[in-house]
Amino acid sequence: MQTSTHSNKRAIIPGFLDSLGIAASAFCLLQCLALPLLVFVVPLTSAWLLDHKLFHLMLLVLIVPISLTAFMLGYFSHRDSTMWWPAALGLSLLLLASVLELSHTLEGFSVALVTSAGGMLMITAHWMNLRSRMHAQGRV
């Protein structure tokens, strides 16, 4: 009986990590789309929200380890490597946007566009990973 409970817990953790990765990526996407609008509409908004650059770095610190862990655990479960392409491209775009923003190469709308594309790719990769895991477990 303990073996069944133990294997159920193992199956729950990767799914939770993918869900957490989707939520973090969606939050990043929402922030990138909403913050410019809020700053335009309410000039005082920027006084109480975190600095854009600091916020992106904090999200990367959250997104990268969660996503890599979820993708690795998923891959070991389903052995479907198709999710690695959007995952790698999404993470690359998120890292690129952060570096370009910190170096002042890109700012404003351009950073939001690159970050949004990266976030959408990360959501896609997590969704593919979750779906492949469910298919491998016979739940689809």
Side-chain angles (χ1 to χ4, degrees), residues 18-33 56 59-60 63-64 67 71 83 85-98 110-128:
D18 276 317
S19 298
L20 190 59
I22 289 170
S25 297
F27 181 71
C28 180
L29 180 62
L30 179 66
Q31 183 270 340
C32 286
L33 297 176
H56 283 151
L59 277 177
L60 277 176
I63 289 171
V64 171
S67 296
F71 294 144
M83 55 88 188
W85 290 107
L89 186 55
L91 280 173
S92 297
L93 286 175
L94 292 176
L95 292 169
L96 176 66
S98 212
S110 300
V111 170
L113 189 63
V114 173
T115 304
S116 297
M120 290 186 338
L121 284 164
M122 291 300 293
I123 290 169
T124 300
H126 280 291
W127 178 79
M128 291 171 71

Side-chain angles (χ1 to χ4, degrees), residues 12-137:
I12 291 171
I13 291 172
F16 173 75
L17 289 175
D18 276 317
S19 298
L20 190 59
I22 289 170
S25 297
F27 181 71
C28 180
L29 180 62
L30 179 66
Q31 183 270 340
C32 286
L33 297 176
L35 188 60
L37 180 63
L38 285 174
V39 171
F40 177 74
V41 173
V42 184
L44 296 177
T45 303
S46 61
W48 56 270
L49 287 177
L50 290 174
D51 178 45
H52 223 37
K53 295 171 189 172
L54 176 62
F55 187 81
H56 283 151
L57 288 176
M58 287 174 34
L59 277 177
L60 277 176
V61 167
L62 178 72
I63 289 171
V64 171
I66 288 171
S67 296
L68 289 177
T69 303
F71 294 144
M72 286 188 293
L73 289 173
Y75 179 75
F76 292 144
S77 170
H78 55 67
R79 301 289 185 195
D80 181 3
S81 61
T82 57
M83 55 88 188
W84 285 112
W85 290 107
L89 186 55
L91 280 173
S92 297
L93 286 175
L94 292 176
L95 292 169
L96 176 66
S98 212
V99 167
L100 293 175
E101 184 178 43
L102 287 174
S103 68
H104 301 290
T105 305
L106 283 182
E107 297 207 17
F109 181 74
S110 300
V111 170
L113 189 63
V114 173
T115 304
S116 297
M120 290 186 338
L121 284 164
M122 291 300 293
I123 290 169
T124 300
H126 280 291
W127 178 79
M128 291 171 71
N129 191 35
L130 192 56
R131 191 154 191 257
S132 293
R133 185 179 305 108
M134 290 173 69
H135 182 68
Q137 294 172 352

